Amino acid sequence: MYRIGVDLGGTNIVAGVVDEFYKIVGKGKMPTACPRPAVEILADVAKAVEMAIEDAGITLADVSSIGVGTPGSVEKHFGIIQYANNLGFSNVPARKILQSHFDKPIYIENDANCAALGEAKAGAGGGVNNFAAITLGTGVGSGIIVDGKILSGCNGAAGEMGHMVICADGELCTCGRKGCWEAYSSATALIRETKKSMLENKDSKMWEIVGGDIDKANGKTAFDAMRAGDEAGKKLVDWYVHYLSIGITNVINTFQPKMLCVGGGIGYEREYLLEPVRKIVYQERYSVYSEEQTTICSAKLGNDAGVIGAALLDE
């Protein structure tokens, strides 16, 4: 039997048919086209699922379950998306709506948790039972796997490590608090600091990299400048690594996962990012004298992690 996973994003809906070896064998994609009513968006989730089934060359009868990863907070028991601000969802009975399209078991979960589950079972984790995944994108996403299960908490909202404060009274975060990890380690934060650095360093190679247009600065700009020997770029990467390491150390001290993987846009820097992070974390972790330590590595599944993890929600 096959399982279907859906990554319901603010821009696109991606559905995948996943086989018994955790491989995607068929895909379907639809634009999310926010804002619009939840019923319309979920109708397009159903269309993406149908497209994936057709692409895989199977029928619905060959599918055992459907899992959906969504932004925001989820009440898993009843399959309700309680709140997803970038989708405009509030108390949406997603499972009930989708079951009007498919008479199959349907699971709803937070998208970062799905990505963590996918990486733990089919990606970087290789099946380890205690695992953490950090995604460095527009925000800092995270998912925690404990004893092979997603850590959900009493309300389905556990594991939001991006909103732990790492700098009291620091930068304002989108959540309204000050000093959150997300305000220092997201791609958004790095771009903010890159532009500041460029304005302070008019001779920096970062200007050449962006063709003189500061609005073209992105999460790679500082790293590219560092690789080109630019001092301002190096200082900026050091700044970023410092705050990323604080957060990763806190995650390890709290959960002691067997593995912690880093993905997302900035995660594509791989060893340029992780080698200096490891040096700091390995010095600062509380478990410095423990025989067994957390392995810090790059994510492997890329954008497929959420789809595969959503498909595995029935395990």
Side-chain angles (χ1 to χ4, degrees):
M1 294 293 281
Y2 297 90
R3 292 174 282 189
I4 292 178
V6 179
D7 186 359
L8 171 55
T11 305
N12 291 304
I13 301 159
V14 180
V17 175
V18 177
D19 68 13
E20 60 186 311
F21 304 107
Y22 302 158
K23 302 295 182 188
I24 296 176
V25 295
K27 272 191 176 181
K29 185 175 179 180
M30 295 285 292
T32 314
C34 296
R36 56 184 175 135
V39 229
E40 292 182 13
I41 291 175
L42 291 169
D44 279 347
V45 167
K47 286 180 187 174
V49 168
E50 289 164 357
M51 290 165 65
I53 289 171
E54 184 179 352
D55 187 48
I58 63 172
T59 69
L60 186 59
D62 299 312
V63 174
S64 61
S65 65
I66 299 168
V68 179
T70 173
S73 56
V74 175
E75 202 297 310
K76 295 194 296 185
H77 183 70
F78 295 105
I80 294 170
I81 302 172
Q82 295 172 320
Y83 179 64
N85 63 307
N86 62 342
L87 295 177
F89 284 9
S90 179
N91 289 316
V92 172
R95 176 186 294 156
K96 184 178 178 182
I97 293 170
L98 288 172
Q99 281 182 328
S100 69
H101 295 273
F102 305 108
D103 185 20
K104 294 286 178 181
I106 292 173
Y107 303 88
I108 314 290
E109 179 57 90
N110 171 268
D111 55 356
N113 288 343
C114 288
L117 185 65
E119 285 287 354
K121 293 197 173 186
V128 301
N129 282 330
N130 293 287
F131 186 84
I134 307 299
T135 305
L136 307 173
T138 305
V140 172
S142 59
I144 311 295
I145 308 299
V146 177
D147 295 334
K149 302 291 182 184
I150 292 169
L151 179 68
S152 299
C154 65
N155 55 6
E160 289 288 349
M161 304 308 297
H163 297 289
M164 64 177 168
V165 170
I166 63 166
C167 184
D169 300 316
E171 293 284 345
L172 182 65
C173 182
T174 55
C175 74
R177 299 181 81 195
K178 288 184 176 181
C180 287
W181 191 23
E182 182 167 299
Y184 290 85
S185 292
S186 62
T188 308
L190 181 54
I191 293 167
R192 178 193 72 223
E193 296 300 318
T194 298
K195 290 179 177 180
K196 279 185 192 176
S197 178
M198 287 172 67
L199 292 173
E200 292 167 3
N201 298 277
K202 297 292 187 180
D203 59 344
S204 168
K205 288 185 180 178
M206 289 188 281
W207 285 101
E208 184 184 332
I209 289 166
V210 300
D213 184 354
I214 196 169
D215 290 328
K216 289 184 178 175
N218 59 34
K220 282 182 83 267
T221 305
F223 283 90
D224 288 342
M226 174 195 71
R227 284 186 282 265
D230 182 67
E231 188 59 30
K234 182 183 182 304
K235 284 182 180 176
L236 197 49
V237 170
D238 288 345
W239 174 91
Y240 184 77
V241 163
H242 169 71
Y243 285 107
L244 180 61
S245 300
I246 291 172
I248 287 178
T249 303
N250 289 349
V251 173
I252 290 173
N253 285 352
T254 304
F255 299 105
Q256 295 296 340
K258 174 71 174 171
M259 296 183 75
L260 180 148
C261 80
V262 178
I266 310 297
Y268 285 115
E269 293 295 336
R270 298 189 182 276
E271 288 306 302
Y272 286 107
L273 176 68
L274 295 187
E275 185 179 356
V277 163
R278 287 190 199 101
K279 286 178 182 176
I280 296 172
V281 173
Y282 290 171
Q283 288 174 348
E284 296 193 352
R285 61 195 170 184
Y286 182 75
S287 57
V288 65
Y289 296 113
S290 298
E291 186 176 331
E292 192 166 4
Q293 299 287 353
T294 301
T295 299
I296 301 172
C297 62
S298 293
K300 285 187 177 178
L301 299 179
N303 293 332
D304 288 339
V307 171
I308 294 171
L312 302 184
L313 289 174
D314 67 339
E315 289 193 351

